[in-house]
Amino acid sequence: MGHNVPVPPDFHFQPAPGAAPLSERPLLIVVGLTGVGKTSFTRALGWPLLPNRRTLVDRYLLPRLGADPARLDRAQRFALTARWRAAHPGGIAEALAAAYVEPVWPLVFDGLRGEAEVRYARERFSQARFVVLEAPAAVRLERLLGRGEGFDRVRVSREEVARFRELAGGVLTQEELDRLLGLGHPLETLIEKLKIVAEEQKHYHPEGPRRALAGSPRALFLDTTALDPEAAAARVRAWLEEA
């Protein structure tokens, strides 16, 4: 795969002159949970990006569910995407497969999550390659605490503040929780980000992509606690050059 880099067009959901089904094009799909480092990685890679997962959900999925993206927090979005998956087991990958795009390379999509989405994409996107970014829950939570993005909001009840250690139990070890508490973040902020990580893991098991891509030569797994974004991007460029 060479990489003469044009600016990719926006994808759309009806056939158009000069456009091809995205599922038939070479595509680099970035896989990973919130806080794993996808944005930093794609920035370091420096290749033009297709509209990302959030945009695809806003433009394709939520309108079909009668929901207004501007009125939803992260927990509500997770609930609605779960409703979508009940009827569409491939999740966001099914929405991605409905897109058309100008046939250029590279095309990078950020990103898929979970076993079902990745398995669907592996079967449907025969020319796609998958970069799976991984990091422990405690690392992802700490990155969420540091990035200050308005999208990362979720309602926190008084009851959840009172039982935050119980909420953390399914995500963090006691040692990890104590370390994060020692960083000085307001407790409600910590619980908010913890809820996002916990809710996401409920819907998308962190090991799911490994199961979906087991044995595939089209998949590369990268630990973002061991590789900084530039090193991860260099690994991917070298991997694609070998193809």
Side-chain angles (χ1 to χ4, degrees):
M1 294 181 179
H3 47 268
N4 182 19
V5 184
V7 177
D10 193 5
F11 53 46
H12 45 279
F13 300 106
Q14 296 293 333
L22 185 56
S23 60
E24 298 176 3
R25 301 304 307 160
L27 178 66
L28 183 67
I29 297 177
V30 183
V31 179
L33 297 175
T34 299
V36 81
K38 297 186 298 296
T39 299
S40 298
F41 163 74
T42 55
R43 188 179 297 124
L45 189 61
W47 291 352
L49 296 171
L50 289 167
N52 65 10
R53 179 189 185 91
R54 188 186 309 177
T55 303
L56 185 60
V57 169
D58 288 352
R59 285 172 43 187
Y60 186 89
L61 186 153
L62 294 179
R64 286 161 172 76
L65 296 176
D68 179 1
R71 301 176 66 87
L72 303 174
D73 67 14
R74 290 295 301 273
Q76 291 167 322
R77 290 175 70 95
F78 285 138
L80 285 167
T81 53
R83 274 181 54 193
W84 172 264
R85 292 198 312 277
H88 303 271
I92 304 307
E94 288 196 32
L96 191 65
Y100 292 80
V101 69
E102 182 182 331
V104 296
W105 169 261
L107 288 175
V108 182
F109 177 73
D110 167 20
L112 296 185
R113 295 175 182 148
E115 183 170 358
E117 286 188 4
V118 175
R119 191 177 299 280
Y120 181 95
R122 177 180 178 174
E123 295 170 356
R124 185 67 181 273
F125 293 80
S126 62
Q127 297 191 61
R129 289 179 172 268
F130 299 85
V131 175
V132 183
L133 304 181
E134 300 175 307
V139 172
R140 293 187 283 107
L141 176 54
E142 188 168 352
R143 289 172 177 169
L144 275 180
L145 287 165
R147 77 186 189 181
E149 186 175 340
F151 180 69
D152 297 323
R153 57 184 176 87
V154 66
R155 295 179 181 87
V156 176
S157 68
R158 291 182 179 179
E159 179 188 4
E160 287 167 331
V161 173
R163 62 179 184 87
F164 79 94
R165 288 186 180 275
E166 177 186 339
L167 180 66
V171 179
L172 305 172
T173 66
Q174 186 62 52
E175 181 181 357
E176 289 170 337
L177 177 59
D178 289 342
R179 186 180 64 79
L180 288 170
L181 286 169
L183 296 178
H185 295 286
L187 181 59
E188 187 165 317
T189 299
L190 175 58
I191 296 170
E192 179 185 51
K193 308 312 181 194
L194 177 62
K195 274 192 68 175
I196 290 171
V197 171
E199 189 71 15
E200 185 177 52
Q201 288 196 182
K202 183 172 73 176
H203 295 287
Y204 306 103
H205 194 284
E207 291 296 317
R210 282 193 171 269
R211 292 192 290 264
L213 294 167
S216 174
R218 294 192 286 136
L220 180 66
F221 295 85
L222 299 177
D223 178 358
T224 63
T225 63
L227 295 170
D228 64 23
E230 290 71 24
R235 286 278 299 275
V236 169
R237 291 190 200 98
W239 176 58
L240 293 174
E241 288 292 345
E242 293 168 1

